[in-house]
Amino acid sequence: MALSGGLRCCQRVFSWIPVIIITSVVLWSYYAYVFELCLFTLSNTLEKVAYLLVFHVCFVMFCWTYWKSIFTPPRSPSKKFQLSYTDKERYEMEERPDVQKQILVEIAKKLPIFTRAASGAIRFCDRCQVIKPDRCHHCSVCEMCVLKMDHHCPWVNNCVGFSNYKFFLLFLIYSMIYCVFIAATVFRYFIKFWVGELLNGPAKFHVLFLMFVALMFFVSLMFLFGYHCWLVAKNRSTLEAFSAPVFQSGPDRNGFNVGLRRNLQQVFGEEKKLWFIPVFTSLGDGHFFPMRSRSESHNPLLANEEQWEEEGGTDEENSGVQRDPSVAIEIES
């Protein structure tokens, strides 16, 4: 037990290494740009002030979104999806699988669940003892079920999901802007140092490496951001892109695709003036999501949508469902 606790502690410490690397590179870029380029190399005062002003706006937005991506905790399913002490005891004491399934079916009747496991059964996490909401998955690194889990990102040392997906996208956007601005303003002096028009010194080393690092990170971020733009346009998570969610009618990668405008609103909210500010504006509460097929959301097996809210599902907008007792339950670890 002590060894296991020690390994887990070491794992948590080492998981911060990618964040430390990114932070170190950013802090070095700040010093290299502000001091070595702007203060020690530039001679034009107007150019120096303009560069510093725009740079600090980009720098603040980058740091703000990166901070929010790292320190916004993943959101887990509400208590309505967790087994109560009585239900848990009744479930664990029961040895007959069919009766166990029936117990879980009774618990799941009033929950807004529309997706299934690959076998067509309702998804249940035996580690967290919760019936998984739609688009919810268990993260083995965070050791919890995460609402609308996209992926676990080592560069932010956090699970990217419903609570911070907008922040993660803004982090990619402002990272690219940060890199483009540095590359565009440094390029002129990069050439001068390269051909020897400016005197050799510490600034030359910093300016040359600023150019290379900015371009390298921009290319990497461009592909990642492009992929996530495609996911947002289709209203898919990274996990759903690899494994399509399963509905009553079967697997459907476009099951949550409700059109480009509504897909964007699902992540960024309805107020466009807040889209590019790292404050939480995503629609819903992460337990229920609009679906493309109206027939799916009005399936007789999934009726009674008002019951979920009436019985205190969550504080935000939800839709309840009435489950068929004959539906099977699959336990996922």
Side-chain angles (χ1 to χ4, degrees):
M1 182 66 69
L3 180 60
S4 177
L7 291 175
R8 190 176 293 109
C9 182
C10 291
Q11 181 183 13
R12 291 174 181 173
V13 171
F14 284 115
S15 65
W16 284 101
I17 290 179
V19 176
I20 294 173
I21 293 174
I22 295 296
T23 303
S24 300
V25 172
V26 172
L27 290 177
W28 164 77
S29 70
Y30 182 89
Y31 167 79
Y33 191 90
V34 172
F35 292 93
E36 296 294 344
L37 177 67
C38 292
L39 298 183
F40 300 154
T41 303
L42 298 184
S43 56
N44 188 306
T45 304
L46 182 61
E47 183 182 21
K48 185 183 299 185
V49 171
Y51 281 10
L52 286 173
L53 181 62
V54 178
F55 172 82
H56 278 92
V57 172
C58 297
F59 181 79
V60 168
M61 295 306 297
F62 168 83
C63 293
W64 189 5
T65 53
Y66 192 42
W67 177 275
K68 295 284 283 187
S69 299
I70 295 172
F71 295 105
T72 300
R75 192 172 298 181
S76 58
S78 68
K79 292 182 179 180
K80 279 287 184 177
F81 291 83
Q82 299 174 1
L83 298 184
S84 66
Y85 178 80
T86 303
D87 291 330
K88 182 179 179 181
E89 187 178 51
R90 185 160 59 105
Y91 175 79
E92 292 178 347
M93 292 292 290
E94 182 57 56
E95 297 180 355
R96 293 168 293 179
D98 292 341
V99 179
Q100 286 183 325
K101 292 178 181 180
Q102 183 62 33
I103 293 173
L104 293 175
V105 166
E106 293 174 1
I107 300 170
K109 282 182 180 180
K110 300 175 183 179
L111 300 177
I113 300 172
F114 293 83
T115 55
R116 307 287 187 270
S119 62
I122 297 173
R123 303 181 307 141
F124 178 75
C125 179
D126 61 347
R127 294 184 182 181
C128 300
Q129 295 294 294
V130 298
I131 297 173
K132 295 181 181 179
D134 294 343
R135 316 184 81 175
C136 175
H137 297 274
H138 185 89
C139 177
S140 58
V141 179
C142 297
E143 297 181 346
M144 62 181 291
C145 285
V146 179
L147 294 178
K148 195 188 175 185
M149 179 178 172
D150 187 88
H151 68 289
H152 186 91
C153 180
W155 298 107
V156 299
N157 191 29
N158 198 3
C159 231
V160 177
F162 176 75
S163 63
N164 64 348
Y165 188 55
K166 176 190 174 182
F167 305 146
F168 178 75
L169 292 177
L170 292 181
F171 160 63
L172 296 180
I173 292 173
Y174 287 114
S175 297
M176 292 175 60
I177 294 175
Y178 184 73
C179 291
V180 168
F181 176 76
I182 288 178
T185 53
V186 164
F187 180 73
R188 176 184 172 187
Y189 299 94
F190 170 84
I191 296 297
K192 288 186 176 182
F193 275 119
W194 190 267
V195 299
E197 291 185 16
L198 294 175
L199 296 176
N200 293 336
K204 178 178 181 180
F205 167 81
H206 290 286
V207 169
L208 294 179
F209 270 86
L210 263 179
M211 189 70 186
F212 286 122
V213 172
L215 290 177
M216 179 183 68
F217 273 91
F218 172 76
V219 172
S220 302
L221 290 167
M222 180 179 62
F223 286 105
L224 181 59
F225 178 67
Y227 176 68
H228 278 280
C229 285
W230 177 77
L231 290 178
V232 172
K234 297 293 185 179
N235 203 348
R236 300 176 191 170
S237 66
T238 299
L239 295 177
E240 291 167 350
F242 286 97
S243 179
V246 180
F247 298 86
Q248 284 284 106
S249 57
D252 185 3
R253 279 191 169 84
N254 292 314
F256 295 105
N257 187 351
V258 290
L260 179 60
R261 181 178 64 84
R262 293 183 64 191
N263 291 344
L264 288 172
Q265 289 177 345
Q266 288 292 305
V267 177
F268 295 100
E270 296 177 341
E271 296 188 50
K272 293 184 179 180
K273 62 183 179 181
L274 298 177
W275 278 16
F276 295 99
I277 301 177
V279 294
F280 184 81
T281 55
S282 301
L283 299 182
D285 66 351
H287 293 85
F288 172 80
F289 300 90
M291 289 174 290
R292 177 173 58 90
S293 173
R294 291 181 60 87
S295 60
E296 182 75 45
S297 61
H298 290 82
N299 191 298
L301 298 178
L302 304 170
N304 196 11
E305 296 182 358
E306 296 180 355
Q307 187 173 357
W308 164 250
E309 185 173 0
E310 290 176 357
E311 298 193 2
T314 60
D315 294 332
E316 301 188 35
E317 292 183 3
N318 294 298
S319 294
V321 295
Q322 182 69 39
R323 300 303 311 276
D324 184 355
S326 64
V327 181
I329 300 289
E330 179 179 69
I331 299 176
E332 297 183 359
S333 57

